[in-house]
Amino acid sequence: MMRVFGVFGDPIEHSLSPPMHNAAFRALGIKGCYHAFRVSRPRLADAIYGAAAMGFGGLNLTIPLKEEALRLESLEVDDLAREIGAVNTISFSADKGEGGAEYRIRIQGHNTDGRGALLALQGAGVRVRGSRVLIIGAGGAARALAYSLDREGAEISIANRKVQRAHDLAASVGGTGFRLSDLDRLVSQADVIINATSVGMREGDGRMIDGHLLKSHHAVFDIVYNRETELISDARSAGAVAIDGVMMLVYQGAEAFEIWTGRRAPVDVMERAVRERLEKRRRDEVGG
């Protein structure tokens, strides 16, 4: 029987998770199909319980539902997701109920975002342990990054427009918080520079970092994946290691895939599916 998987979010039309996961299912001969569903915050509990009741194989959550999921009393949240304060992956499993006559559906919450970012860095040959990592931003993505990189032994600095949020996040991982006005100095001191904001998602977005500050010894990672950002372009020009957001998307998806299926995810297949869909979108936009 075909098992259904999906991603919940609002908005959700832009999601590249369906082509990515469906390509993985086809590559491994798994009878699964993955769809995107628009789900608003107030209906999240109903949607998750409905998916469990209908025998869904697993779910992803995206904006604005990752933090909302923590409110569900019946969701068993793992330690990392609880620590980060967000759930992006949900798995279902069945336990025998009392007396063994009935089954209880266990709904478990995970966070694969930070692990996905870590794998993207390691896949590009970046050594995380002992590195001085500068994270720009203090939102949900930055939080997942900070906790995962701290666990790997990185030295964390956070720069954010609202400096108190930078201080709070940095303090939770033993790092230091700064203002965006400190970026020039921080870039020169960092080994790894990560943009964990949406800046660069739209053509014409201003630069947060002067490209001349980037050097060949830097590793530059931008979580934006819908286009090559100015930050990534500047990093390539400087001879730095440049990692776009596609790889974080792919690796966090691969981690979720392995949680659901117990099979090793075909990362190359997933990356190719995402990049092909992005290229098609770009061609359509130019043609339009």
Side-chain angles (χ1 to χ4, degrees), residues 25 30 43 66 81 91 96 118 140 158 187 214 236 247:
F25 291 142
I30 294 173
R43 303 310 299 269
K66 294 182 183 183
S91 60
K96 285 189 176 182
L118 179 64
I158 310 287
V187 166
L214 299 177
R236 294 192 200 283
M247 296 316 301

Side-chain angles (χ1 to χ4, degrees), residues 121 124-126 215-221 232 235-236 238-243:
L121 287 165
V126 177
K215 306 300 178 184
S216 60
H217 69 269
H218 282 130
V220 180
F221 177 29
I232 290 297
R236 294 192 200 283
V241 174
I243 309 161

Side-chain angles (χ1 to χ4, degrees), residues 221-234:
F221 177 29
D222 197 330
I223 72 167
V224 172
Y225 64 78
N226 67 309
R227 59 186 294 269
E228 181 171 298
T229 64
E230 287 71 16
L231 177 61
I232 290 297
S233 178
D234 289 344

Side-chain angles (χ1 to χ4, degrees), residues 93-106:
S93 60
D95 282 347
K96 285 189 176 182
E98 293 183 8
E102 297 180 354
Y103 284 87
R104 178 178 70 91
I105 302 298
R106 295 181 64 193

Side-chain angles (χ1 to χ4, degrees), residues 117 121 133-143 145 149 157-161 180 183 187 192-202 205-209 214 219-232 235 243-246 248:
L121 287 165
V133 177
L134 167 61
I135 299 175
I136 304 169
R143 192 171 183 84
L145 284 158
L149 295 174
S157 295
I158 310 287
N160 192 57
R161 182 172 60 84
L180 290 182
L183 277 177
V187 166
V192 181
I193 300 159
I194 303 176
N195 173 38
T197 77
S198 62
V199 174
M201 188 176 291
R202 293 164 293 277
D205 282 356
R207 283 174 165 81
M208 288 188 294
I209 295 175
L214 299 177
V220 180
F221 177 29
D222 197 330
I223 72 167
V224 172
Y225 64 78
N226 67 309
R227 59 186 294 269
E228 181 171 298
T229 64
E230 287 71 16
L231 177 61
I232 290 297
I243 309 161
D244 64 25
V246 167
M248 177 174 171

Side-chain angles (χ1 to χ4, degrees), residues 30-274:
I30 294 173
K31 291 183 177 180
C33 58
Y34 188 108
H35 300 282
F37 301 89
R38 172 170 269 181
V39 175
S40 63
R41 273 197 188 101
R43 303 310 299 269
L44 178 60
D46 291 339
I48 290 175
Y49 297 145
M54 289 188 290
F56 273 45
L59 296 171
N60 288 127
L61 303 180
T62 188
I63 296 172
L65 306 176
K66 294 182 183 183
E67 293 81 12
E68 188 70 23
L70 293 173
R71 301 175 185 271
L72 274 65
E73 292 183 1
S74 59
L75 183 66
E76 300 175 24
V77 181
D78 68 23
D79 291 342
L80 180 59
R82 181 75 65 186
E83 195 173 24
I84 291 171
V87 169
N88 81 321
T89 299
I90 289 177
S91 60
F92 303 110
S93 60
D95 282 347
K96 285 189 176 182
E98 293 183 8
E102 297 180 354
Y103 284 87
R104 178 178 70 91
I105 302 298
R106 295 181 64 193
I107 306 175
Q108 297 169 295
H110 318 268
N111 191 301
T112 66
D113 283 334
R115 176 69 175 161
L118 179 64
L119 290 172
L121 287 165
Q122 292 175 337
V126 177
R127 184 176 183 275
V128 172
R129 184 167 300 278
S131 293
R132 296 167 296 179
V133 177
L134 167 61
I135 299 175
I136 304 169
R143 192 171 183 84
L145 284 158
Y147 275 85
S148 295
L149 295 174
D150 174 62
R151 286 187 169 197
E152 288 296 311
E155 179 184 322
I156 309 292
S157 295
I158 310 287
N160 192 57
R161 182 172 60 84
K162 295 181 179 179
V163 70
Q164 190 56 52
R165 293 193 68 181
H167 287 314
D168 292 344
L169 176 54
S172 68
V173 294
T176 309
F178 298 91
R179 302 177 186 276
L180 290 182
S181 57
D182 295 317
L183 277 177
D184 286 2
R185 174 172 58 86
L186 295 171
V187 166
S188 67
Q189 298 172 351
D191 301 309
V192 181
I193 300 159
I194 303 176
N195 173 38
T197 77
S198 62
V199 174
M201 188 176 291
R202 293 164 293 277
E203 191 169 352
D205 282 356
R207 283 174 165 81
M208 288 188 294
I209 295 175
D210 182 343
H212 293 98
L213 296 172
L214 299 177
K215 306 300 178 184
S216 60
H217 69 269
H218 282 130
V220 180
F221 177 29
D222 197 330
I223 72 167
V224 172
Y225 64 78
N226 67 309
R227 59 186 294 269
E228 181 171 298
T229 64
E230 287 71 16
L231 177 61
I232 290 297
S233 178
D234 289 344
R236 294 192 200 283
S237 296
V241 174
I243 309 161
D244 64 25
V246 167
M247 296 316 301
M248 177 174 171
L249 173 71
V250 168
Y251 278 117
Q252 66 79 27
E255 288 286 301
F257 183 93
E258 292 176 5
I259 288 170
W260 299 327
T261 67
R263 302 277 297 276
R264 187 173 181 83
V267 172
D268 291 347
V269 170
M270 297 169 81
E271 179 187 359
R272 185 163 59 249
V274 171

